[in-house]
Amino acid sequence: MVADFVQRLLAELDGGAGLDGLTSAQLADRVRTDAGGIDGADAFVALVGHPRSEVTMPAVAELVRSGFDTLSVVEIASWLGRGGAVPVPFVRTLGQAFLVRSGDTASDYGSRAHALKAAMVLAQSDRSLLRRLQSDLLGLDLADDGEFLRHAARIVGAVLAHEEDGDLRDLLARLAEVGDAEAEASMELGFDTLRMGLDAETPDAAMNAFRGARDWFRRAEVASGDRPDATLYRRCLDALVTFQSGHAADDLGSRIDGIKASAFTYTAYLATPDRPEETSSWLGSRTEERVHWSMLALRLGALDTSLLKRAWLDAAAVIQEELLAIYTASRSFLGRDAESGLEAVLRPRVVGALGRELHSLALLDQWIAENAGSGLVPAAASLREEVADAMEAVVMHRPTEAAAGSSPTAAFIEFLPEALRQSAVARVAAGMAVLVEATTPLAVRGLFETVTASLPRNEDYRADPDGRMLFDIVLWLTVQFVVMRSNVGVSTLARGRYLFERDPKKLPVEKDLQDDYHEFMMGTALSELCTAERRDVGGGRADIQFSFTRTRTVAELKRSAMRLTNGKLVERFGLQQVSYEVTNVRYGILMVLDLRDLDGGQPHVSERISVHHLTPGWGSSEHAVVLFRLQGRRATPSKV
């Protein structure tokens, strides 16, 4: 409520007989004599917005320089910090008046300190005034009143946060040597070094800055004796440094409790329920920053705890509340528009930890699929890509943890966590991976790589990780089937006798190929996922269907005695295979029993496996068809 004095003053100023000829000097004397404390602040607010600025503004400037008492200046600075508006033409004039007041050593340190704060708030919107403010700050006398220098250090730090200035940074270092100002200057140097870490472009530079900031906050903590914000930041950065090291501290639980206690203490310390926050002041943003850093530290601790668990009980919560929040820390916690040195430090740790969790990609894929509308999906996709690349790098480039000269697969096994290596199932799977790699001919391995390299052109293959994993396994085992049938003789495997039948009247039919292929698959890890003669697939009956989670793909089996190239075979039979793919993934297998008479011989396996992309005339979707030719009418090499 506006004070009675201010109401009377405005009434007279608006036309009362007693003030018609009052000069600015007389107006200033009236306020100086009759309005102090809150009344003085109310008079300031009323007069800066008054239309008779030619009378009011000179009076207000004079009052700022020497008339308002300390409580009035405190309230005026707070009003400006809360967004109080000064007409643009008078911002510089009043800002300079506040600077004069701040430099008046005859005034008490409280009015000087808050006058300096008011000048800073006004300078935030006036570059010329900002330069004047910087100049006055650089001219500070280190022998001045210690309490004033303590407040001045905050202003120096706030300006430095928005205007890179090496001279101001040096000034803070000198203020840190002044007893009364040491704690405040150390805090500001901690903030400044913290920003350097956020702006760093390399992990090493960021970590060096974060450690340096932690040291400054520790110094502020010691110098002040009991400063909750210094303790909070120091504990937050301790958590960051510990997390980055990759070695969970034995006292992780107590560290988290300490951060919670510091955050609570700091919040209680800040509580000012009777006064709105000064959100328009550079100083006001610090409160929110402290809360954000404490949130980050708590999430780091929680994530460290989660990464220690081999089974994530609530994977979705871990991914959304911890993994992705840490992965995008600058944006999720600090509200920055771009990535920072914080990500450069945290991401390798997150990616490295997930790279050791073989199920992490599946968890991320599931989370992405179930949270398609979340704004965190791009971050999750980026994290998944980095984890996948890290896993691939381990396999392809042989990690240092593996023995020298070991195979990439063996190196990857060495990279696995100890608990996983101790699992019997994991040991069997790892052993099989080594055997497959060691015994597969280079030509066959290269053929498989060529096939899978052609498939990312297919939209479904790219977009569906579960389907891609299933189809890769199906293709690998199908390649093994074709390779085995190309090598094994009848005396070893009677099941393959149909491939050596040369009598035109007794040639095998498609059912022979289907039974052989299905029996082969039933002896593999796909036995639970493989179904023969599956009805109601695209309106028909699929020869072999493979199903995993939400993905179904089909192998269509045909026979042909015509001399057709691979492309012509796909033209002839491919549309039948595609016809099964109307409600699921648009890729599958076409396997043809080739009954051409090649005098008992068979082409090299690389000539009998190929990838084709075709678009049926009834639609616009492109399908991928992997063709396998199994040669019949063969003879043993001795009879060719």
Side-chain angles (χ1 to χ4, degrees), residues 509-510 513 543 556-560 569 572-574 576-577 590-594 628 630:
V509 295
E510 292 171 6
L513 173 60
D543 289 336
E556 174 67 10
L557 310 180
K558 309 300 291 184
R559 74 167 190 164
S560 173
L569 278 176
R572 182 173 178 80
F573 300 114
Q576 185 172 341
Q577 195 283 329
L590 172 63
M591 185 179 297
V592 177
L593 176 59
D594 190 345
F628 293 88
L630 194 62

Short mmCIF file of all heavy atoms in Angstrom, two decimals, residues 509-510 513 543 556-560 569 572-574 576-577 590-594 628 630:
data_model
loop_
_atom_site.label_atom_id
_atom_site.label_comp_id
_atom_site.label_asym_id
_atom_site.label_seq_id
_atom_site.Cartn_x
_atom_site.Cartn_y
_atom_site.Cartn_z
N VAL A 509 10.93 -82.13 -54.39
CA VAL A 509 9.93 -81.06 -54.45
C VAL A 509 10.23 -80.05 -53.35
O VAL A 509 11.14 -80.23 -52.53
CB VAL A 509 8.51 -81.64 -54.28
CG1 VAL A 509 8.16 -82.55 -55.45
CG2 VAL A 509 8.37 -82.40 -52.96
N GLU A 510 9.44 -78.99 -53.33
CA GLU A 510 9.69 -77.92 -52.34
C GLU A 510 9.61 -78.44 -50.91
O GLU A 510 10.32 -77.97 -50.02
CB GLU A 510 8.67 -76.80 -52.54
CG GLU A 510 8.87 -76.04 -53.83
CD GLU A 510 7.72 -75.08 -54.12
OE1 GLU A 510 6.83 -74.94 -53.25
OE2 GLU A 510 7.70 -74.48 -55.22
N LEU A 513 12.91 -79.50 -49.43
CA LEU A 513 13.73 -78.37 -48.97
C LEU A 513 13.17 -77.80 -47.66
O LEU A 513 13.91 -77.50 -46.73
CB LEU A 513 13.75 -77.28 -50.04
CG LEU A 513 14.42 -75.96 -49.64
CD1 LEU A 513 15.88 -76.18 -49.26
CD2 LEU A 513 14.31 -74.94 -50.78
N ASP A 543 5.76 -70.67 -45.60
CA ASP A 543 6.56 -71.89 -45.48
C ASP A 543 7.26 -71.94 -44.12
O ASP A 543 7.12 -72.90 -43.37
CB ASP A 543 7.60 -71.95 -46.60
CG ASP A 543 6.94 -72.21 -47.95
OD1 ASP A 543 5.84 -72.78 -47.97
OD2 ASP A 543 7.52 -71.82 -48.99
N GLU A 556 10.33 -67.86 -47.76
CA GLU A 556 9.54 -68.52 -48.80
C GLU A 556 10.44 -69.47 -49.57
O GLU A 556 11.54 -69.09 -50.02
CB GLU A 556 8.94 -67.48 -49.75
CG GLU A 556 8.21 -68.06 -50.95
CD GLU A 556 6.94 -68.82 -50.57
OE1 GLU A 556 6.51 -68.75 -49.39
OE2 GLU A 556 6.37 -69.46 -51.46
N LEU A 557 10.02 -70.74 -49.71
CA LEU A 557 10.86 -71.77 -50.33
C LEU A 557 10.24 -72.20 -51.67
O LEU A 557 9.05 -72.52 -51.74
CB LEU A 557 10.97 -72.98 -49.39
CG LEU A 557 11.37 -72.65 -47.93
CD1 LEU A 557 11.44 -73.91 -47.10
CD2 LEU A 557 12.70 -71.91 -47.91
N LYS A 558 11.04 -72.19 -52.72
CA LYS A 558 10.59 -72.54 -54.06
C LYS A 558 11.60 -73.50 -54.70
O LYS A 558 12.69 -73.72 -54.17
CB LYS A 558 10.46 -71.29 -54.93
CG LYS A 558 9.66 -70.14 -54.32
CD LYS A 558 8.22 -70.54 -54.02
CE LYS A 558 7.42 -70.77 -55.30
NZ LYS A 558 6.00 -71.05 -55.02
N ARG A 559 11.22 -74.04 -55.85
CA ARG A 559 12.18 -74.82 -56.65
C ARG A 559 12.07 -74.37 -58.09
O ARG A 559 11.02 -73.88 -58.53
CB ARG A 559 11.94 -76.32 -56.53
CG ARG A 559 10.72 -76.81 -57.29
CD ARG A 559 10.73 -78.31 -57.40
NE ARG A 559 9.70 -78.79 -58.34
CZ ARG A 559 9.68 -80.00 -58.86
NH1 ARG A 559 10.62 -80.88 -58.55
NH2 ARG A 559 8.74 -80.36 -59.71
N SER A 560 13.16 -74.50 -58.83
CA SER A 560 13.17 -74.06 -60.22
C SER A 560 14.20 -74.87 -60.99
O SER A 560 15.32 -75.12 -60.51
CB SER A 560 13.52 -72.57 -60.31
OG SER A 560 13.68 -72.18 -61.65
N LEU A 569 15.29 -64.87 -60.87
CA LEU A 569 14.58 -65.69 -59.89
C LEU A 569 13.74 -64.83 -58.96
O LEU A 569 12.60 -65.17 -58.63
CB LEU A 569 15.59 -66.51 -59.07
CG LEU A 569 16.11 -67.80 -59.70
CD1 LEU A 569 17.17 -68.43 -58.81
CD2 LEU A 569 14.97 -68.79 -59.94
N ARG A 572 10.71 -63.66 -60.66
CA ARG A 572 9.72 -64.72 -60.84
C ARG A 572 9.00 -65.08 -59.53
O ARG A 572 7.79 -65.26 -59.50
CB ARG A 572 10.38 -65.98 -61.41
CG ARG A 572 9.41 -67.12 -61.67
CD ARG A 572 10.09 -68.27 -62.38
NE ARG A 572 9.19 -69.39 -62.60
CZ ARG A 572 8.28 -69.47 -63.58
NH1 ARG A 572 8.17 -68.48 -64.44
NH2 ARG A 572 7.51 -70.54 -63.68
N PHE A 573 9.79 -65.16 -58.41
CA PHE A 573 9.21 -65.65 -57.16
C PHE A 573 9.15 -64.59 -56.04
O PHE A 573 8.53 -64.81 -55.01
CB PHE A 573 10.02 -66.84 -56.63
CG PHE A 573 10.06 -68.01 -57.57
CD1 PHE A 573 11.26 -68.41 -58.16
CD2 PHE A 573 8.90 -68.73 -57.86
CE1 PHE A 573 11.30 -69.50 -59.01
CE2 PHE A 573 8.95 -69.82 -58.73
CZ PHE A 573 10.14 -70.20 -59.30
N GLY A 574 9.82 -63.47 -56.26
CA GLY A 574 9.94 -62.50 -55.18
C GLY A 574 8.63 -61.92 -54.70
O GLY A 574 8.43 -61.69 -53.50
N GLN A 576 5.80 -63.30 -54.45
CA GLN A 576 5.11 -64.21 -53.54
C GLN A 576 5.66 -64.05 -52.13
O GLN A 576 4.90 -64.03 -51.15
CB GLN A 576 5.25 -65.65 -54.02
CG GLN A 576 4.44 -66.63 -53.15
CD GLN A 576 4.43 -68.03 -53.73
OE1 GLN A 576 4.71 -68.24 -54.91
NE2 GLN A 576 4.10 -69.00 -52.88
N GLN A 577 6.97 -63.92 -52.04
CA GLN A 577 7.57 -63.70 -50.72
C GLN A 577 7.11 -62.37 -50.14
O GLN A 577 6.73 -62.28 -48.96
CB GLN A 577 9.12 -63.73 -50.85
CG GLN A 577 9.87 -63.88 -49.53
CD GLN A 577 9.92 -62.59 -48.73
OE1 GLN A 577 9.93 -61.51 -49.31
NE2 GLN A 577 9.94 -62.72 -47.42
N LEU A 590 14.04 -65.55 -49.60
CA LEU A 590 13.57 -66.40 -50.69
C LEU A 590 14.64 -67.45 -50.92
O LEU A 590 15.76 -67.12 -51.31
CB LEU A 590 13.33 -65.59 -51.97
CG LEU A 590 13.02 -66.40 -53.23
CD1 LEU A 590 11.71 -67.18 -53.08
CD2 LEU A 590 12.95 -65.48 -54.47
N MET A 591 14.31 -68.72 -50.64
CA MET A 591 15.28 -69.80 -50.85
C MET A 591 14.78 -70.69 -51.99
O MET A 591 13.62 -71.13 -51.98
CB MET A 591 15.47 -70.63 -49.58
CG MET A 591 16.57 -71.70 -49.74
SD MET A 591 16.83 -72.68 -48.26
CE MET A 591 17.38 -71.43 -47.11
N VAL A 592 15.63 -70.90 -52.97
CA VAL A 592 15.24 -71.65 -54.18
C VAL A 592 16.07 -72.91 -54.29
O VAL A 592 17.32 -72.87 -54.23
CB VAL A 592 15.42 -70.79 -55.44
CG1 VAL A 592 15.09 -71.61 -56.68
CG2 VAL A 592 14.53 -69.55 -55.36
N LEU A 593 15.40 -74.04 -54.42
CA LEU A 593 16.08 -75.29 -54.72
C LEU A 593 16.36 -75.30 -56.23
O LEU A 593 15.43 -75.41 -57.04
CB LEU A 593 15.19 -76.47 -54.31
CG LEU A 593 15.71 -77.86 -54.66
CD1 LEU A 593 17.08 -78.12 -54.01
CD2 LEU A 593 14.70 -78.92 -54.22
N ASP A 594 17.60 -75.15 -56.59
CA ASP A 594 18.00 -75.00 -57.99
C ASP A 594 18.20 -76.38 -58.61
O ASP A 594 19.16 -77.09 -58.27
CB ASP A 594 19.30 -74.18 -58.03
CG ASP A 594 19.66 -73.76 -59.45
OD1 ASP A 594 19.09 -74.33 -60.40
OD2 ASP A 594 20.51 -72.85 -59.60
N PHE A 628 18.67 -67.11 -51.49
CA PHE A 628 19.60 -68.22 -51.29
C PHE A 628 19.27 -69.29 -52.31
O PHE A 628 18.10 -69.70 -52.44
CB PHE A 628 19.46 -68.81 -49.88
CG PHE A 628 19.88 -67.88 -48.77
CD1 PHE A 628 18.98 -66.99 -48.21
CD2 PHE A 628 21.19 -67.91 -48.28
CE1 PHE A 628 19.36 -66.14 -47.19
CE2 PHE A 628 21.58 -67.06 -47.26
CZ PHE A 628 20.67 -66.17 -46.70
N LEU A 630 20.02 -73.17 -53.30
CA LEU A 630 20.59 -74.44 -52.85
C LEU A 630 20.65 -75.37 -54.06
O LEU A 630 19.61 -75.70 -54.65
CB LEU A 630 19.72 -75.04 -51.74
CG LEU A 630 20.34 -76.19 -50.95
CD1 LEU A 630 21.59 -75.73 -50.21
CD2 LEU A 630 19.33 -76.74 -49.95
#
